[in-house]
Amino acid sequence: MAVRNETRVTHFILLGLSSDPELQIIYFVLFVVIYLLTVAGNLLILVTIYMDTQLHTPMYFFLSHLSFLDLAFSTAAVPRSIVNFVTQSKIISFSECIAQVFFLHLLGGTECLHLVLMAYDRYVAICNPLRYTTIMNRRVCVLLVVSTWVGGLMHGFGQALPAAQLSFCGPNEIDHFFCDARPLSLMACSNTFISQNADIINSGTLALSSFLVLSISYGHIISTILRIRSTEGRQKAFSTCAAHLLVVALFFGPLVFIYLRPSVTFAGDKLISGFYTIITPVLNPFIYTLRNEKVITSMKRLRGRQVSLVGRHIK
C-alpha cells in the first residue's frame, strides 16, 4: 500500500499591502498614526461618558460601547500589521491565524448588531418619546448589549471553526495584511464546500437581517420626523440620526462588497478591508463628537477639571 507524502502547512506568511520597502515604511507610519488616533479618540469618548453623570443615558451608554468595540476591532488587526511592515519575518502560526479570524469576526459581528441596537434606541426615542425611559431602562440596555455579544460570538465561531477544519499543503502565502476566512478557504487543499457555504450563510444572514431591522427602524423614524410640525424639532431629530446613519454606511458598505459576493479576489480587496478595520474605527469618534454638543461640552468640563486639579497640585 503506497503511502502518500503530504506536507502540512503549520504557519502562513502575510504578504501585507506591498512588497516595496519604501511603501512599507509609508504604510508603517500611516498605520501607527491612525492607530494612535483610534486609541486616543475612542478612549476619550469612553472616559468622558464614564466621568460625566449627565451622559449616563441609554444613547451614550451605547455610544461608549461602540467606542470600545471600535478600539478592540482595530487592535485585533492593526498592531500585527504594523509589526509586519518593519520586520523581514511576516510569519503567523496556524493557531494565531485562526484566533485572528475568530476575534475579528466576533468583534465585527458584535459591532454590526450593536449598530442595529443603536438604530432601535433612536426608534424608541423618536417614535415613543414618552415611554423611552420605561422601555430603555438600565436592565434592558445591558441585556440588549449582552445579546449583541452572543450574536457576535456565534458569528465568530461560525467563521473560525470551518476555517480551522481546512487542510493546507501549500502555498502558505496569504495576500492580505490579516487572516480572514475567505483567503484561507481559497488556499486550502481540502474540500472547501462547507467553509465557503458557512461563510456565505453566516455573513449573509447577519448582514441581511441587520439591514432589514435598520430599514424598518429608519423607515418609522423618518415617517415620524416628517410629521413633526416644528422645523426646529425636525432638525433636532434628524441631527440625532445623521451621525448614526453615516457610521452605518461606512461600516456596512465595505462589508457588503467583501463578504456578500462570490469567492473571488479583487485587487482592491485589501484596501477595502483596510477601510472597515482601520479607517472606520478612527472616524467614528470624530463623527459622533463633532455633531454632538453634549459630548463636546462634557469634554470641555472634563478638561476644566483637569486644569483645576493640576493648578491645585502646583499650589
Side-chain angles (χ1 to χ4, degrees), residues 264-284:
V264 294
T265 57
F266 293 108
D269 277 8
K270 289 188 287 186
L271 293 176
I272 294 170
S273 297
F275 191 87
Y276 67 80
T277 55
I278 302 167
I279 304 300
T280 300
V282 76
L283 288 179
N284 285 353

Side-chain angles (χ1 to χ4, degrees), residues 272-302:
I272 294 170
S273 297
F275 191 87
Y276 67 80
T277 55
I278 302 167
I279 304 300
T280 300
V282 76
L283 288 179
N284 285 353
F286 294 99
I287 292 171
Y288 277 107
T289 55
L290 291 176
R291 296 185 59 88
N292 195 308
E293 293 182 5
K294 283 189 176 181
V295 175
I296 294 174
T297 303
S298 295
M299 287 180 178
K300 290 179 180 178
R301 280 201 298 266
L302 182 61

